[in-house]
mmCIF file of all heavy atoms in Angstrom:
data_model
loop_
_atom_site.group_PDB
_atom_site.id
_atom_site.type_symbol
_atom_site.label_atom_id
_atom_site.label_comp_id
_atom_site.label_asym_id
_atom_site.label_seq_id
_atom_site.Cartn_x
_atom_site.Cartn_y
_atom_site.Cartn_z
ATOM 1 N N LEU A 1 19.552 -39.220 29.147
ATOM 2 C CA LEU A 1 18.705 -38.022 29.076
ATOM 3 C C LEU A 1 19.523 -36.814 29.475
ATOM 4 O O LEU A 1 19.421 -35.753 28.844
ATOM 5 C CB LEU A 1 17.499 -38.186 30.010
ATOM 6 C CG LEU A 1 16.555 -36.981 30.088
ATOM 7 C CD1 LEU A 1 15.984 -36.660 28.712
ATOM 8 C CD2 LEU A 1 15.415 -37.265 31.079
ATOM 9 N N GLY A 2 20.400 -36.961 30.455
ATOM 10 C CA GLY A 2 21.208 -35.819 30.880
ATOM 11 C C GLY A 2 22.198 -35.411 29.788
ATOM 12 O O GLY A 2 22.423 -34.226 29.564
ATOM 13 N N ILE A 3 22.803 -36.404 29.123
ATOM 14 C CA ILE A 3 23.757 -36.099 28.037
ATOM 15 C C ILE A 3 23.038 -35.377 26.916
ATOM 16 O O ILE A 3 23.524 -34.401 26.339
ATOM 17 C CB ILE A 3 24.433 -37.390 27.522
ATOM 18 C CG1 ILE A 3 25.274 -38.002 28.651
ATOM 19 C CG2 ILE A 3 25.256 -37.120 26.298
ATOM 20 C CD1 ILE A 3 25.838 -39.389 28.302
ATOM 21 N N PHE A 4 21.814 -35.873 26.587
ATOM 22 C CA PHE A 4 21.055 -35.305 25.465
ATOM 23 C C PHE A 4 20.692 -33.851 25.789
ATOM 24 O O PHE A 4 20.819 -32.960 24.939
ATOM 25 C CB PHE A 4 19.767 -36.120 25.243
ATOM 26 C CG PHE A 4 18.888 -35.547 24.146
ATOM 27 C CD1 PHE A 4 19.206 -35.713 22.809
ATOM 28 C CD2 PHE A 4 17.787 -34.793 24.487
ATOM 29 C CE1 PHE A 4 18.423 -35.188 21.814
ATOM 30 C CE2 PHE A 4 17.020 -34.266 23.482
ATOM 31 C CZ PHE A 4 17.305 -34.440 22.138
ATOM 32 N N GLN A 5 20.305 -33.581 27.046
ATOM 33 C CA GLN A 5 19.942 -32.214 27.434
ATOM 34 C C GLN A 5 21.185 -31.317 27.376
ATOM 35 O O GLN A 5 21.099 -30.146 27.005
ATOM 36 C CB GLN A 5 19.342 -32.216 28.841
ATOM 37 C CG GLN A 5 17.951 -32.844 28.903
ATOM 38 C CD GLN A 5 17.407 -32.887 30.325
ATOM 39 O OE1 GLN A 5 18.198 -32.709 31.279
ATOM 40 N NE2 GLN A 5 16.095 -33.117 30.431
ATOM 41 N N PHE A 6 22.356 -31.849 27.744
ATOM 42 C CA PHE A 6 23.591 -31.056 27.710
ATOM 43 C C PHE A 6 23.939 -30.671 26.284
ATOM 44 O O PHE A 6 24.343 -29.543 26.004
ATOM 45 C CB PHE A 6 24.730 -31.857 28.363
ATOM 46 C CG PHE A 6 26.028 -31.123 28.398
ATOM 47 C CD1 PHE A 6 26.284 -30.138 29.338
ATOM 48 C CD2 PHE A 6 27.035 -31.382 27.454
ATOM 49 C CE1 PHE A 6 27.470 -29.446 29.355
ATOM 50 C CE2 PHE A 6 28.219 -30.672 27.485
ATOM 51 C CZ PHE A 6 28.450 -29.706 28.429
ATOM 52 N N LEU A 7 23.809 -31.637 25.351
ATOM 53 C CA LEU A 7 24.104 -31.350 23.956
ATOM 54 C C LEU A 7 23.161 -30.300 23.415
ATOM 55 O O LEU A 7 23.560 -29.416 22.639
ATOM 56 C CB LEU A 7 24.013 -32.638 23.127
ATOM 57 C CG LEU A 7 25.098 -33.695 23.412
ATOM 58 C CD1 LEU A 7 24.818 -34.964 22.601
ATOM 59 C CD2 LEU A 7 26.496 -33.156 23.040
ATOM 60 N N MET A 8 21.859 -30.391 23.755
ATOM 61 C CA MET A 8 20.883 -29.426 23.262
ATOM 62 C C MET A 8 21.175 -28.056 23.832
ATOM 63 O O MET A 8 20.991 -27.041 23.161
ATOM 64 C CB MET A 8 19.471 -29.862 23.700
ATOM 65 C CG MET A 8 18.991 -31.125 22.992
ATOM 66 S SD MET A 8 18.969 -30.937 21.188
ATOM 67 C CE MET A 8 17.742 -29.650 21.038
ATOM 68 N N LEU A 9 21.705 -28.037 25.054
ATOM 69 C CA LEU A 9 22.054 -26.758 25.652
ATOM 70 C C LEU A 9 23.200 -26.129 24.912
ATOM 71 O O LEU A 9 23.208 -24.937 24.625
ATOM 72 C CB LEU A 9 22.394 -26.960 27.123
ATOM 73 C CG LEU A 9 22.871 -25.715 27.877
ATOM 74 C CD1 LEU A 9 21.803 -24.628 27.862
ATOM 75 C CD2 LEU A 9 23.240 -26.083 29.321
ATOM 76 N N GLY A 10 24.204 -26.936 24.561
ATOM 77 C CA GLY A 10 25.349 -26.386 23.843
ATOM 78 C C GLY A 10 24.963 -25.858 22.493
ATOM 79 O O GLY A 10 25.424 -24.821 22.039
ATOM 80 N N LEU A 11 24.070 -26.589 21.798
ATOM 81 C CA LEU A 11 23.610 -26.148 20.485
ATOM 82 C C LEU A 11 22.876 -24.844 20.603
ATOM 83 O O LEU A 11 23.019 -23.931 19.780
ATOM 84 C CB LEU A 11 22.710 -27.232 19.874
ATOM 85 C CG LEU A 11 22.116 -26.906 18.501
ATOM 86 C CD1 LEU A 11 23.268 -26.703 17.465
ATOM 87 C CD2 LEU A 11 21.196 -28.036 18.051
ATOM 88 N N SER A 12 22.113 -24.711 21.656
ATOM 89 C CA SER A 12 21.352 -23.483 21.840
ATOM 90 C C SER A 12 22.254 -22.313 22.118
ATOM 91 O O SER A 12 22.024 -21.206 21.645
ATOM 92 C CB SER A 12 20.356 -23.656 23.005
ATOM 93 O OG SER A 12 19.440 -24.689 22.722
ATOM 94 N N LEU A 13 23.321 -22.533 22.890
ATOM 95 C CA LEU A 13 24.234 -21.454 23.206
ATOM 96 C C LEU A 13 24.979 -20.986 21.973
ATOM 97 O O LEU A 13 25.246 -19.804 21.796
ATOM 98 C CB LEU A 13 25.243 -21.920 24.285
ATOM 99 C CG LEU A 13 24.645 -22.127 25.684
ATOM 100 C CD1 LEU A 13 25.706 -22.755 26.597
ATOM 101 C CD2 LEU A 13 24.141 -20.826 26.252
ATOM 102 N N THR A 14 25.354 -21.938 21.101
ATOM 103 C CA THR A 14 26.064 -21.589 19.877
ATOM 104 C C THR A 14 25.215 -20.702 19.015
ATOM 105 O O THR A 14 25.636 -19.683 18.465
ATOM 106 C CB THR A 14 26.470 -22.849 19.107
ATOM 107 O OG1 THR A 14 27.248 -23.656 19.968
ATOM 108 C CG2 THR A 14 27.239 -22.524 17.853
ATOM 109 N N VAL A 15 23.936 -21.083 18.863
ATOM 110 C CA VAL A 15 23.024 -20.308 18.015
ATOM 111 C C VAL A 15 22.800 -18.939 18.616
ATOM 112 O O VAL A 15 22.783 -17.930 17.935
ATOM 113 C CB VAL A 15 21.666 -21.031 17.868
ATOM 114 C CG1 VAL A 15 20.678 -20.179 17.124
ATOM 115 C CG2 VAL A 15 21.859 -22.357 17.167
ATOM 116 N N ALA A 16 22.689 -18.865 19.929
ATOM 117 C CA ALA A 16 22.413 -17.592 20.585
ATOM 118 C C ALA A 16 23.607 -16.675 20.508
ATOM 119 O O ALA A 16 23.470 -15.473 20.350
ATOM 120 C CB ALA A 16 22.028 -17.834 22.045
ATOM 121 N N SER A 17 24.878 -17.264 20.579
ATOM 122 C CA SER A 17 26.082 -16.439 20.524
ATOM 123 C C SER A 17 26.253 -15.831 19.169
ATOM 124 O O SER A 17 26.774 -14.738 19.016
ATOM 125 C CB SER A 17 27.308 -17.249 20.939
ATOM 126 O OG SER A 17 27.497 -18.319 20.042
ATOM 127 N N GLU A 18 25.820 -16.530 18.146
ATOM 128 C CA GLU A 18 25.931 -16.010 16.795
ATOM 129 C C GLU A 18 25.003 -14.828 16.603
ATOM 130 O O GLU A 18 25.324 -13.900 15.858
ATOM 131 C CB GLU A 18 25.637 -17.119 15.761
ATOM 132 C CG GLU A 18 26.700 -18.201 15.751
ATOM 133 C CD GLU A 18 26.363 -19.315 14.777
ATOM 134 O OE1 GLU A 18 25.214 -19.239 14.221
ATOM 135 O OE2 GLU A 18 27.164 -20.211 14.568
ATOM 136 N N LYS A 19 23.928 -14.789 17.177
ATOM 137 C CA LYS A 19 22.983 -13.684 17.030
ATOM 138 C C LYS A 19 23.330 -12.548 17.974
ATOM 139 O O LYS A 19 22.827 -11.467 17.850
ATOM 140 C CB LYS A 19 21.564 -14.145 17.307
ATOM 141 C CG LYS A 19 21.098 -15.118 16.241
ATOM 142 C CD LYS A 19 19.659 -15.506 16.522
ATOM 143 C CE LYS A 19 19.141 -16.437 15.454
ATOM 144 N NZ LYS A 19 17.752 -16.817 15.679
ATOM 145 N N GLY A 20 24.173 -12.801 19.001
ATOM 146 C CA GLY A 20 24.591 -11.775 19.942
ATOM 147 C C GLY A 20 23.671 -11.587 21.100
ATOM 148 O O GLY A 20 23.907 -10.738 21.938
ATOM 149 N N THR A 21 22.589 -12.354 21.167
ATOM 150 C CA THR A 21 21.638 -12.230 22.282
ATOM 151 C C THR A 21 21.277 -13.594 22.753
ATOM 152 O O THR A 21 20.826 -14.435 21.989
ATOM 153 C CB THR A 21 20.354 -11.488 21.869
ATOM 154 O OG1 THR A 21 19.690 -12.178 20.835
ATOM 155 C CG2 THR A 21 20.644 -10.063 21.452
ATOM 156 N N PHE A 22 21.484 -13.905 24.021
ATOM 157 C CA PHE A 22 21.028 -15.185 24.571
ATOM 158 C C PHE A 22 20.912 -15.034 26.075
ATOM 159 O O PHE A 22 21.455 -14.137 26.680
ATOM 160 C CB PHE A 22 22.011 -16.328 24.222
ATOM 161 C CG PHE A 22 23.351 -16.204 24.908
ATOM 162 C CD1 PHE A 22 23.602 -16.833 26.127
ATOM 163 C CD2 PHE A 22 24.385 -15.465 24.334
ATOM 164 C CE1 PHE A 22 24.833 -16.723 26.751
ATOM 165 C CE2 PHE A 22 25.607 -15.370 24.981
ATOM 166 C CZ PHE A 22 25.840 -16.005 26.187
ATOM 167 N N GLU A 23 20.163 -15.925 26.681
ATOM 168 C CA GLU A 23 19.995 -15.956 28.119
ATOM 169 C C GLU A 23 19.818 -17.385 28.514
ATOM 170 O O GLU A 23 18.914 -18.056 28.047
ATOM 171 C CB GLU A 23 18.764 -15.146 28.545
ATOM 172 C CG GLU A 23 18.587 -15.107 30.057
ATOM 173 C CD GLU A 23 17.377 -14.280 30.438
ATOM 174 O OE1 GLU A 23 16.747 -13.721 29.523
ATOM 175 O OE2 GLU A 23 17.035 -14.234 31.630
ATOM 176 N N CYS A 24 20.789 -17.885 29.332
ATOM 177 C CA CYS A 24 20.728 -19.294 29.692
ATOM 178 C C CYS A 24 21.004 -19.417 31.170
ATOM 179 O O CYS A 24 21.863 -18.742 31.694
ATOM 180 C CB CYS A 24 21.779 -20.087 28.872
ATOM 181 S SG CYS A 24 21.698 -21.857 29.234
ATOM 182 N N GLU A 25 20.271 -20.282 31.831
ATOM 183 C CA GLU A 25 20.430 -20.477 33.265
ATOM 184 C C GLU A 25 20.278 -21.939 33.577
ATOM 185 O O GLU A 25 19.367 -22.589 33.093
ATOM 186 C CB GLU A 25 19.376 -19.654 34.019
ATOM 187 C CG GLU A 25 19.497 -19.780 35.534
ATOM 188 C CD GLU A 25 18.461 -18.976 36.226
ATOM 189 O OE1 GLU A 25 17.684 -18.279 35.519
ATOM 190 O OE2 GLU A 25 18.358 -19.022 37.450
ATOM 191 N N PHE A 26 21.235 -22.517 34.334
ATOM 192 C CA PHE A 26 21.183 -23.915 34.733
ATOM 193 C C PHE A 26 20.425 -24.035 36.040
ATOM 194 O O PHE A 26 20.804 -23.410 37.025
ATOM 195 C CB PHE A 26 22.627 -24.464 34.906
ATOM 196 C CG PHE A 26 23.362 -24.586 33.611
ATOM 197 C CD1 PHE A 26 24.196 -23.549 33.157
ATOM 198 C CD2 PHE A 26 23.244 -25.732 32.834
ATOM 199 C CE1 PHE A 26 24.885 -23.696 31.960
ATOM 200 C CE2 PHE A 26 23.907 -25.858 31.653
ATOM 201 C CZ PHE A 26 24.727 -24.838 31.194
ATOM 202 N N ARG A 27 19.431 -24.796 36.000
ATOM 203 C CA ARG A 27 18.649 -25.080 37.217
ATOM 204 C C ARG A 27 18.270 -26.535 37.216
ATOM 205 O O ARG A 27 17.324 -26.948 36.575
ATOM 206 C CB ARG A 27 17.397 -24.209 37.299
ATOM 207 C CG ARG A 27 17.705 -22.733 37.525
ATOM 208 C CD ARG A 27 16.412 -21.956 37.649
ATOM 209 N NE ARG A 27 16.674 -20.539 37.819
ATOM 210 C CZ ARG A 27 15.714 -19.610 37.864
ATOM 211 N NH1 ARG A 27 14.457 -19.996 37.748
ATOM 212 N NH2 ARG A 27 16.040 -18.346 38.017
ATOM 213 N N LYS A 28 19.063 -27.307 37.957
ATOM 214 C CA LYS A 28 18.741 -28.718 38.129
ATOM 215 C C LYS A 28 18.534 -29.384 36.801
ATOM 216 O O LYS A 28 17.524 -29.978 36.528
ATOM 217 C CB LYS A 28 17.504 -28.895 38.995
ATOM 218 C CG LYS A 28 17.713 -28.399 40.423
ATOM 219 C CD LYS A 28 16.454 -28.627 41.242
ATOM 220 C CE LYS A 28 16.639 -28.118 42.648
ATOM 221 N NZ LYS A 28 15.461 -28.324 43.456
ATOM 222 N N ASN A 29 19.607 -29.263 35.918
ATOM 223 C CA ASN A 29 19.585 -29.951 34.631
ATOM 224 C C ASN A 29 18.413 -29.537 33.749
ATOM 225 O O ASN A 29 17.875 -30.312 32.975
ATOM 226 C CB ASN A 29 19.544 -31.472 34.809
ATOM 227 C CG ASN A 29 20.797 -31.967 35.539
ATOM 228 O OD1 ASN A 29 21.908 -31.405 35.353
ATOM 229 N ND2 ASN A 29 20.642 -33.013 36.321
#
C-alpha cells in the first residue's frame, strides 16, 4: 500500500508540473 501511494504521488506531481501549478505535502504517507 505504501509503494502504491508513492507511485500515485509521483504521477500526480508529474501531471501538476506540466501544468505549472501543484501543491503537495507529505503527512504520514
